[in-house]
Amino acid sequence: MALASCKDSSKFVINGEFKNAAPKSKVYLFGLKKDNAVALDSTVFSDKGEFKFSHSTPGVDFFRITADNHEYMIIAKNGDVIKITADLGDKTLAYHISGAREADKLQELNTTKNEYIVRINAIQTEFEETVATQPDQREMIMEQIKPKYNAEVESLNKTILKFAQDNTESLAGFYAINLLNPAEYEKEVVEYSDKIKSSFNDNAAVTEFLKKMAGLKAVQVGQIAPDFTIDGLDGKPVKLSDFKGKYVLLDFWASWCTPCRQENPNLVKAYQQFKDKNFTVLGISLDKDVAAWKKAITDDQLTWNHAGELKDFEGPTVRLYQIEAIPSSFLIDPNGKILAKNLRGEELDAFLNKTLR
């Protein structure tokens, strides 16, 4: 009995049982390194769909089980004995894990998340079936269903956020916060990062996250916009501080970005309306092709100042401002403080009307 109760603390064990797994087909164990999957081990399913992995890890960390193009996240540390069950025929990728503290926490999150996913998928199915019977009413049907769909998504995101906030001592909480779009939950994600600064010091993913959040904090609303020097369209250096004393819309965009080009008419309208009220735009292009960049400026009639590093998302200024998607924008006041982020269309117009009186 004493021997049976002892665990091997030098490694963790994963026991799996998958329905609809082809006997002798492969199942893989991956680790994660800087968001990249690293193959650690592989085995084959038994006739009953069973498999087993045994592996060691320096500390608690994320791992992924992959089979038949299905992926399942696991959190484990040495000494854990984890049970995972799933059905490879289930398109929702639902799975059940148990046997260790982090596994139980992750299961708690997954259970709640899957309940929402089922409802969201049902709304999507309702939309598709309704459109199939009334194809000429697609737009109207979408407008009718959209509020219900958006409400479920918003509720799911708030539930995920609460789970993360309630579980700052668990990597499952960290996993949860990374399910949220930081552009929509920037304030909450940054606040979460402050709460886990002294936790998980040996986890590479957390360390990278904290570094990223420190950079994001520097470009939050209320902060002084970091100064930079960048080559202008004419090759001459442009400094953000050169625009001090004006309201500046710092606009990150590219000629190849369809949403950016769709937004440009709104920027042109705002610029024409407010350029005589101490307002200007500074366009920062992520283009690598100078000719395409210049052509887009001409075609879209963007008559304000332009600059770029010709390095896509890897330019120093782009990285300084933590740009991961475009269009992205920062409205900066005459003192250099960030007033707002990512204002577009009517929202930008309303904000400028209120601010630039």
Side-chain angles (χ1 to χ4, degrees):
M1 290 176 62
L3 288 174
S5 65
C6 291
K7 291 183 178 180
D8 185 350
S9 61
S10 66
K11 58 187 177 182
F12 64 87
V13 175
I14 299 173
N15 294 303
E17 185 176 339
F18 285 7
K19 293 180 180 180
N20 291 308
K24 308 303 179 185
S25 63
K26 284 270 193 176
V27 56
Y28 300 88
L29 174 67
F30 286 89
L32 296 178
K33 187 175 183 180
K34 289 188 176 180
D35 295 329
N36 294 317
V38 179
L40 301 176
D41 202 355
S42 66
T43 187
V44 295
F45 286 107
S46 71
D47 292 341
K48 295 180 179 180
E50 298 173 332
F51 64 91
K52 180 177 181 178
F53 286 117
S54 179
H55 196 77
S56 62
T57 177
V60 60
D61 212 341
F62 294 98
F63 299 89
R64 187 178 292 162
I65 301 292
T66 302
D68 192 26
N69 295 320
H70 289 55
E71 296 182 344
Y72 306 95
M73 183 67 73
I74 284 179
I75 303 173
K77 68 179 187 306
N78 290 342
D80 288 350
V81 179
I82 298 170
K83 173 74 173 181
I84 176 171
T85 58
D87 184 349
L88 293 181
D90 184 353
K91 294 181 180 180
T92 68
L93 301 182
Y95 65 107
H96 188 278
I97 51 175
S98 61
R101 178 180 176 274
E102 288 286 5
D104 293 342
K105 278 293 179 184
L106 188 56
Q107 179 57 41
E108 179 186 337
L109 171 64
N110 286 342
T111 298
T112 302
K113 182 162 63 77
N114 289 337
E115 290 173 357
Y116 279 97
I117 289 174
V118 168
R119 293 199 292 271
I120 290 169
N121 287 344
I123 295 171
Q124 180 67 30
T125 300
E126 177 190 352
F127 168 72
E128 292 170 355
E129 291 176 348
T130 307
V131 169
T133 61
Q134 305 173 58
D136 57 327
Q137 301 294 319
R138 180 184 180 88
E139 294 301 322
M140 183 190 74
I141 296 168
M142 181 180 291
E143 289 304 312
Q144 290 175 343
I145 289 182
K146 188 187 293 184
K148 182 164 62 171
Y149 181 89
N150 289 343
E152 287 289 354
V153 171
E154 183 179 357
S155 184
L156 169 60
N157 287 334
K158 287 182 177 178
T159 300
I160 289 172
L161 175 62
K162 186 177 187 306
F163 179 91
Q165 293 170 334
D166 291 345
N167 291 278
T168 54
E169 299 302 315
S170 166
L171 266 189
F174 173 71
Y175 174 68
I177 204 73
N178 281 276
L179 295 175
L180 299 174
N181 181 351
E184 295 181 21
Y185 290 89
E186 180 181 298
K187 178 176 177 289
E188 293 84 354
V189 172
V190 170
E191 288 175 350
Y192 171 86
S193 72
D194 288 336
K195 293 178 182 178
I196 66 165
K197 276 185 177 179
S198 58
S199 305
F200 318 113
N201 293 328
D202 57 349
N203 187 278
V206 174
T207 300
E208 188 66 23
F209 170 78
L210 293 176
K211 180 180 176 182
K212 179 180 175 181
M213 289 303 106
L216 187 59
K217 186 183 294 187
V219 290
Q220 277 195 293
V221 171
Q223 299 295 315
I224 295 297
D227 198 11
F228 58 82
T229 301
I230 186 172
D231 285 343
L233 188 63
D234 58 3
K236 297 178 180 179
V238 175
K239 294 181 67 176
L240 178 62
S241 54
D242 290 340
F243 296 86
K244 200 163 186 178
K246 284 181 172 288
Y247 287 92
V248 181
L249 185 71
L250 188 60
D251 178 45
F252 291 86
W253 73 294
S255 66
W256 45 259
C257 168
T258 300
C260 301
R261 303 295 295 275
Q262 292 172 339
E263 180 62 20
N264 278 344
N266 295 324
L267 292 186
V268 170
K269 178 184 175 184
Y271 179 71
Q272 293 299 330
Q273 183 177 352
F274 297 102
K275 65 179 182 178
D276 295 327
K277 296 185 178 181
N278 205 33
F279 171 78
T280 191
V281 179
L282 173 57
I284 306 296
S285 171
L286 277 67
D287 279 289
K288 288 185 173 182
D289 184 335
V290 176
W293 175 23
K294 290 182 177 180
K295 185 176 185 302
I297 291 172
T298 301
D299 290 348
D300 294 358
Q301 300 180 35
L302 312 181
T303 57
W304 47 79
N305 289 284
H306 293 274
E309 295 161 319
L310 306 178
K311 293 183 178 180
D312 200 67
F313 284 91
E314 298 305 313
T317 305
V318 173
R319 298 185 74 170
L320 175 66
Y321 276 78
Q322 302 289 305
I323 304 300
E324 294 188 349
I326 52 176
S328 288
S329 65
F330 299 77
L331 182 61
I332 303 167
D333 77 4
N335 296 314
K337 185 171 72 174
I338 299 172
L339 287 181
K341 296 173 67 169
N342 298 321
L343 296 174
R344 300 190 183 105
E346 293 180 1
E347 192 178 17
L348 173 62
D349 187 63
F351 195 95
L352 292 176
N353 267 308
K354 179 181 176 181
T355 306
L356 305 180
R357 293 178 177 176

